Amino acid sequence: MENVHLAVEEEDLYSGYNDYNPTFDSEELENDAGFQQAVRTSHGRRPPMTAKFPGTAIGGRPLVSSFGSRIPMASSMGRPMTGTVQEGAARPMTAVRAAGYSSSLMRGSTFDPLGQSKGPAPPLEAKNEDTAEEKIKILEKKVNDLIEESCMAQSIGAFQLALEKAKEAGRKERALIRQREASGNTEHINLDLTYSGEVIKQGSNMTTVAASISTQLHRQYEQRKTVLLNLANQYANNEMYPEALNSYHVIVKNKMFTNAGRLKVNMANIYFEQKNYPKAIKFYRMALDQISNVHKELRIKIMQNIGVVFVRLGQYSDAITSFEHIMTESPNIKTGFNLILCYYAVGDRERMKKAFQKLISVPLGIDDEDKYIPASDDPSSNMVTEAIKNDKLHQMERDLKVLAEKYIMTAAKLIAPAIETSFASGFDWCVDMVKCSQYVELANDLEINKAITYLRQKDFNQAVETLKTFEKKDSRVKSAAATNLSFLYFLEKDYDQADRYADLAMNADRYNPAALINKGNTLFVKKDYEKAAEFYKEALRNDSSCTEALFNLGLSYERLNRLEEGLDCFLKLHSILRSSAEVMYQLAHLYEQLGDPQQAIEWLMQVISATPTDPHVLAKLGKLHDDEGDKSQAFQYYSESFRYFPSNIDVIEWLGAYYIETQFCEKAIQYFERATLIQPNYVKWQLIVASCYRRSGNYQKALETYKEIHRRFPENVECLRFLVRLSTDMGLKEVQEYATKLKKVEKMKELREQRVKSGRENSARGRREGSTGSADSGRSSSSSSKGERLSAKMRSLPGSNEPYEASSPKELDASYVDPLGPQMDRPKTGAKKPADDDDFADEDLGDELLPE
């Protein structure tokens, strides 16, 4: 019984089974001060202790921790040892009772192996955010959030906000580095130090620790790279190219950053934007050397950029080499088009043809459109077809096809005049090639472009003949050709033919908005505004973005005096075309008609901001300000209008009248003299010039001007009256001559008026006599009496060389009316008093008042 050891009852039979030797604990080594000291210094290389003591490991070396202290044995950590019997300790019994069995069950306790009867678990400990690790984690999260916000801002086009977020992320990241350094975290250790010296020689455990540190440092460098890369991209988006290049250089020069060589493509793009093409080529080639052949698509894109740079430098042979290599390895539409441009630049006809054939044979990788047509009555398959009909992938395919057609059409129009002796032959060759390719529907479009080319060359007959060949083709092409024909005839003012072809285009395709607009235009010029408006409305129903239909509809409403509806049309159009001067002018015109001159002035000011040199808009602004009574503003705008267009008679007349009104007749002369140059046969301007000379006191110049007017217009009564008056005032001997001519002209004018009056009376009398049945006798007597009176009056006129004498004494009427209006009275200053009113008349002057 002495050797029998009773088992001591314990509450937890499994305590100690989860304990392990702390020698293998590598997770907390970064917080182990002794280990950190051993890594940094030679502390870990001191000779091991050789003295033996109880608990020595096999081989005679004591078990020590990473910092040299003894490690307590397992027995001292509470785990019972089963191989030896220690004195003073009872050896526990095993496999004697079932798990969860307790003697307390005999005393009425329930079976509770999981200990649930002890109550709920204690609450989790609150996270302490004051520790260095928590601060580092918080800063890392802030940096990542800022980078994400910067990228989101860039995606919506807010480049300035994206740059601010990127800068903030950079500041947070630098604060994170300082926090790591302050906390002594191992993540700031250089990897070269991590992988050097005796640390890796400590055994497999030390290698594991170094790998863990390497992972953490890699994550730190990746975060640093992300921050710098995002900042460099945002600098580039905001066109801050020097700052972007500096950031890229920091990333590229650091060997820790993986795939940094690819960023040289971004640097080359920046040099391209700066037009530093040699350096751009250098960096593109450096990036090409650092990218392996596995990344074939990326290498093709870089080579395409190199070819584009060579084109900008004018080195077309080098560009052709790059583009030909791409078309051999991985052909695409854009490269094929660029290759055609290079061949066109060097003038190689045969290669242009071959490049065009390669272009139209490039596979697009687009599914057939029949895929999106429901082919069965299965509801599920039809639902799938409807779902993918307008999805993003199908839209991308449509955009790619439209882009390919655009490149092919542009290339055909470019090379057609160059590959053959005439552009018509070149177009025919391109049409034949296209008909044999996957772009068969483009052949008709090329034919229409051929007609448009004839129009550009002013060959209307050939254009019409080319378009007429489409009358028997399918409806879409027929409608397009008829639309162009209608527009051609409309330009030639052959409105009947324009109306005919507009009807033909509408019959071929009723949903063609251009055909409906042409039909409305033909009705508009025929002043059938109601029907024209209906066709414009139908065009808008077919295509709500058709700005031509909306503009013409507004004009129709204006002609119909439905000003409010016209105003609505142009306001809608202004929301679409914000900078259209025509739309803003129409809005100003409508507001003027509605009696709101202030709104009209505001809209015209917007027109001036778009087209500051439009003389008609400036004159319109001057007129509105003049109507409002603001003469100074009106004079400013009229002067600007005259400066840009000095041949507008209305502007010249207003400016001349303004100077006359302000008593500056000398300045008004230059404007009216320009008016005489514009309208030399209009005597009004010459009379005003002479009046300006007379008002300014230059009577001699005024007399010469009147004489010149009389020479050119000898029957002008006003000129003769001015001559008589000026000759009288100046005491000239020609006064009698001018007075005689004035009487003669007035007499002829009086006879002419009587002749017209008598002619009207005779015609009225003839109509009355004809109504009574005696038309013949009345007409003969009237004609005989009229002839007798006319011959008598002609005999009474003097000859051209005979002096004119009045039959009865009549006083000469030399009065005239100044075309400039009555002259303002000059104020009388310093009037001379009569001699009788002299105060000193009766007084003798003394000797003291006489001069010495």
Side-chain angles (χ1 to χ4, degrees):
M1 295 298 292
E2 294 179 358
N3 295 326
V4 176
H5 300 280
L6 298 176
V8 181
E9 288 189 8
E10 295 181 1
E11 289 295 330
D12 191 358
L13 296 177
Y14 302 99
S15 63
Y17 286 104
N18 292 328
D19 295 338
Y20 59 94
N21 196 326
T23 304
F24 304 104
D25 184 9
S26 61
E27 295 181 357
E28 297 297 329
L29 286 177
E30 58 184 359
N31 297 324
D32 194 334
F35 176 76
Q36 299 299 328
Q37 187 178 3
V39 170
R40 294 188 181 89
T41 65
S42 62
H43 179 70
R45 294 198 294 273
R46 63 186 178 182
M49 297 176 63
T50 58
K52 293 185 179 180
F53 57 92
T56 301
I58 298 174
R61 183 175 180 179
L63 294 173
V64 294
S65 68
S66 61
F67 51 88
S69 62
R70 287 194 183 99
I71 300 174
M73 299 302 291
S75 60
S76 67
M77 294 184 69
R79 181 177 178 181
M81 300 186 67
T82 59
T84 60
V85 178
Q86 298 179 4
E87 296 181 359
R91 185 174 184 273
M93 302 291 290
T94 60
V96 175
R97 56 183 176 179
Y101 175 79
S102 176
S103 60
S104 61
L105 291 172
M106 304 302 295
R107 297 191 293 271
S109 179
T110 59
F111 179 76
D112 188 15
L114 300 178
Q116 297 179 357
S117 62
K118 296 180 180 179
L124 298 175
E125 294 183 2
K127 185 182 292 186
N128 188 6
E129 297 183 357
D130 295 334
T131 62
E133 289 127 355
E134 289 299 326
K135 290 181 179 179
I136 289 173
K137 289 181 181 179
I138 291 172
L139 281 174
E140 284 183 351
K141 187 176 184 304
K142 287 182 178 179
V143 171
N144 292 330
D145 291 342
L146 285 170
I147 292 174
E148 184 177 352
E149 291 175 4
S150 176
C151 295
M152 294 298 294
Q154 176 189 351
S155 65
I156 62 176
F159 298 129
Q160 188 63 35
L161 177 61
L163 179 60
E164 294 298 328
K165 295 291 183 182
K167 289 181 178 179
E168 183 66 22
R171 289 191 288 268
K172 293 289 184 185
E173 197 266 341
R174 289 191 291 272
L176 176 61
I177 293 176
R178 290 193 296 270
Q179 182 69 28
R180 283 175 177 148
E181 292 175 352
S183 64
N185 200 316
T186 57
E187 291 184 3
H188 71 274
I189 299 176
N190 194 328
L191 280 182
D192 295 335
L193 178 61
T194 305
Y195 284 105
S196 64
E198 299 294 330
V199 179
I200 299 181
K201 296 181 181 179
Q202 295 292 331
S204 61
N205 294 333
M206 296 300 102
T207 305
T208 306
V209 174
S212 175
I213 298 173
S214 172
T215 303
Q216 295 173 359
L217 284 173
H218 178 72
R219 186 188 54 183
Q220 175 184 349
Y221 279 113
E222 285 297 323
Q223 185 181 33
R224 175 66 174 162
K225 174 184 174 182
T226 305
V227 171
L228 286 174
L229 178 59
N230 181 57
L231 182 61
N233 289 338
Q234 302 312 326
Y235 276 135
N237 290 334
N238 286 273
E239 298 182 0
M240 301 171 67
Y241 297 131
E243 293 84 353
L245 288 173
N246 291 336
S247 300
Y248 283 130
H249 276 298
V250 172
I251 301 174
V252 171
K253 289 181 179 179
N254 197 327
K255 303 300 182 183
M256 293 302 306
F257 296 146
T258 58
N259 298 324
R262 296 188 180 185
L263 296 181
K264 291 181 179 177
V265 177
N266 294 10
M267 301 172 70
N269 291 338
I270 291 177
Y271 285 124
F272 181 83
E273 292 294 332
Q274 291 179 333
K275 298 186 183 220
N276 191 351
Y277 300 127
K279 213 159 189 177
I281 292 177
K282 174 184 175 183
F283 274 83
Y284 279 134
R285 286 177 170 169
M286 290 170 63
L288 198 63
D289 293 339
Q290 296 182 11
I291 295 174
S292 63
N293 293 327
V294 178
H295 306 284
K296 181 179 177 181
E297 293 184 2
L298 183 58
R299 291 177 61 87
I300 289 296
K301 290 181 180 179
I302 294 174
M303 291 192 68
Q304 185 172 349
N305 288 357
I306 292 174
V308 172
V309 176
F310 277 129
V311 170
R312 292 296 181 92
L313 289 172
Q315 300 177 13
Y316 299 112
S317 58
D318 295 330
I320 288 171
T321 303
S322 297
F323 292 143
E324 283 181 343
H325 176 75
I326 296 172
M327 292 300 289
T328 304
E329 296 292 329
S330 177
N332 60 80
I333 290 292
K334 187 176 292 185
T335 304
F337 180 73
N338 289 338
L339 185 59
I340 291 176
L341 291 180
C342 292
Y343 286 142
Y344 180 81
V346 298
D348 195 335
R349 291 187 177 184
E350 294 302 322
R351 286 190 173 184
M352 274 190 273
K353 290 184 177 181
K354 293 180 180 178
F356 186 78
Q357 292 174 349
K358 288 182 180 179
L359 178 64
I360 61 179
S361 62
V362 171
L364 297 179
I366 298 176
D367 294 333
D368 192 6
E369 289 292 331
D370 295 338
K371 172 184 175 181
Y372 302 101
I373 300 175
S376 63
D377 296 333
D378 186 6
S380 60
S381 62
N382 291 340
M383 288 179 62
V384 172
T385 303
E386 288 295 329
I388 67 175
K389 185 180 293 185
N390 291 316
D391 62 351
K392 296 292 184 181
L393 180 59
H394 192 202
Q395 291 177 9
M396 186 186 71
E397 290 177 348
R398 284 200 298 260
D399 294 341
L400 181 59
K401 187 176 180 180
V402 169
L403 182 64
E405 291 177 353
K406 175 185 175 183
Y407 280 136
I408 292 171
M409 291 288 294
T410 307
K413 289 188 287 186
L414 177 68
I415 68 174
I419 58 178
E420 299 291 345
T421 55
S422 65
F423 87 93
S425 303
F427 263 108
D428 293 338
W429 182 88
C430 292
V431 169
D432 294 338
M433 292 296 105
V434 169
K435 286 181 179 179
C436 300
S437 69
Q438 56 183 329
Y439 304 99
V440 181
E441 63 274 6
L442 287 181
N444 293 325
D445 294 335
L446 281 174
E447 290 281 357
I448 292 178
N449 274 280
K450 179 181 176 182
I452 294 174
T453 307
Y454 277 125
L455 286 178
R456 291 197 179 110
Q457 295 181 353
K458 308 298 183 183
D459 194 348
F460 294 100
N461 295 328
Q462 285 292 335
V464 170
E465 291 298 325
T466 305
L467 291 172
K468 284 183 178 180
T469 59
F470 291 94
E471 293 186 6
K472 296 182 180 180
K473 294 191 177 182
D474 61 348
S475 59
R476 186 186 67 85
V477 180
K478 181 179 179 180
S479 178
T483 301
N484 290 332
L485 281 170
S486 175
F487 184 67
L488 282 176
Y489 283 120
F490 186 85
L491 292 178
E492 292 180 349
K493 296 184 180 181
D494 190 351
Y495 301 125
D496 294 333
Q497 286 291 334
D499 188 38
R500 172 175 169 270
Y501 279 101
D503 291 334
L504 185 62
M506 287 192 303
N507 294 333
D509 184 6
R510 186 71 184 188
Y511 296 99
N512 184 359
L516 293 168
I517 292 173
N518 286 345
K519 178 66 175 178
N521 290 344
T522 57
L523 293 171
F524 188 91
V525 296
K526 294 177 181 178
K527 298 184 179 181
D528 193 352
Y529 303 121
E530 287 287 352
K531 288 185 179 180
E534 292 299 324
F535 281 103
Y536 296 143
K537 289 178 183 177
E538 187 176 354
L540 285 172
R541 286 194 294 269
N542 294 338
D543 183 7
S544 59
S545 62
C546 186
T547 55
E548 295 86 355
L550 193 57
F551 188 92
N552 293 347
L553 181 61
L555 292 180
S556 300
Y557 283 143
E558 182 185 353
R559 297 295 192 280
L560 293 170
N561 204 24
R562 294 155 63 176
L563 302 180
E564 294 291 344
E565 297 179 43
L567 188 64
D568 292 338
C569 291
F570 285 113
L571 287 173
K572 291 178 184 177
L573 193 58
H574 178 66
S575 63
I576 301 172
L577 306 174
R578 303 294 298 180
S579 58
S580 174
E582 294 83 359
V583 176
M584 290 186 284
Y585 184 84
Q586 291 297 329
L587 284 169
H589 183 60
L590 285 170
Y591 274 117
E592 182 186 7
Q593 289 182 305
L594 288 170
D596 193 348
Q598 292 301 324
Q599 281 288 338
I601 290 174
E602 290 182 9
W603 282 106
L604 287 176
M605 292 298 294
Q606 295 187 36
V607 177
I608 288 298
S609 64
T611 56
T613 60
D614 192 327
H616 300 289
V617 177
L618 290 168
K620 189 73 173 178
L621 269 172
K623 180 180 180 301
L624 288 174
H625 281 292
D626 187 28
D627 294 340
E628 291 294 304
D630 192 350
K631 293 286 186 181
S632 59
Q633 282 291 335
F635 173 73
Q636 177 183 351
Y637 287 115
Y638 273 122
S639 299
E640 286 294 308
S641 176
F642 178 78
R643 185 164 66 91
Y644 291 118
F645 183 56
S647 299
N648 191 333
I649 289 294
D650 296 332
V651 174
I652 291 172
E653 184 177 8
W654 192 93
L655 288 171
Y658 175 80
Y659 279 117
I660 290 173
E661 184 179 351
T662 54
Q663 302 298 315
F664 291 101
C665 298
E666 298 87 351
K667 293 185 177 181
I669 292 173
Q670 59 176 335
Y671 294 102
F672 292 118
E673 284 181 344
R674 183 174 292 274
T676 59
L677 295 176
I678 298 171
Q679 296 179 345
N681 295 324
Y682 197 45
V683 69
K684 172 184 175 182
W685 309 124
Q686 301 182 36
L687 289 173
I688 293 176
V689 169
S691 298
C692 289
Y693 280 125
R694 184 175 52 80
R695 285 200 173 190
S696 60
N698 193 348
Y699 296 107
Q700 186 62 36
K701 189 68 176 177
L703 181 62
E704 293 176 0
T705 306
Y706 281 126
K707 289 181 178 180
E708 180 64 24
I709 296 171
H710 177 65
R711 186 184 66 80
R712 296 188 57 192
F713 305 96
E715 296 183 357
N716 188 272
V717 177
E718 295 296 326
C719 179
L720 287 171
R721 288 178 179 174
F722 281 121
L723 282 172
V724 171
R725 179 62 183 271
L726 274 177
S727 301
T728 304
D729 293 342
M730 298 174 68
L732 300 177
K733 59 182 179 179
E734 295 96 343
V735 61
Q736 185 60 36
E737 178 184 354
Y738 293 133
T740 305
K741 291 182 178 179
L742 177 60
K743 290 181 181 180
K744 184 177 179 181
V745 169
E746 285 181 345
K747 187 64 175 176
M748 292 179 64
K749 182 179 179 180
E750 182 181 352
L751 292 176
R752 192 178 298 113
E753 291 176 355
Q754 291 180 359
R755 192 181 308 125
V756 172
K757 183 178 179 181
S758 63
R760 291 175 181 174
E761 291 177 355
N762 292 334
S763 61
R765 187 183 304 112
R767 285 194 297 270
R768 287 196 301 269
E769 292 178 353
S771 63
T772 58
S774 57
D776 295 335
S777 60
R779 190 159 44 243
S780 60
S781 61
S782 173
S783 59
S784 60
S785 60
K786 178 181 177 182
E788 292 174 358
R789 288 196 301 271
L790 183 58
S791 60
K793 290 180 179 179
M794 292 297 293
R795 286 193 301 269
S796 63
L797 290 176
S800 58
N801 298 323
E802 296 178 1
Y804 177 80
E805 294 182 0
S807 57
S808 59
K810 185 177 180 181
E811 186 179 356
L812 175 64
D813 182 14
S815 62
Y816 65 95
V817 178
D818 195 337
L820 301 182
Q823 189 172 4
M824 294 180 62
D825 294 334
R826 182 180 177 183
K828 297 179 179 180
T829 57
K832 186 179 180 181
K833 293 183 180 180
D836 297 338
D837 296 338
D838 192 357
D839 295 336
F840 300 97
D842 299 333
E843 296 183 5
D844 296 333
L845 296 177
D847 295 337
E848 66 275 5
L849 297 179
L850 296 176
E852 295 180 359

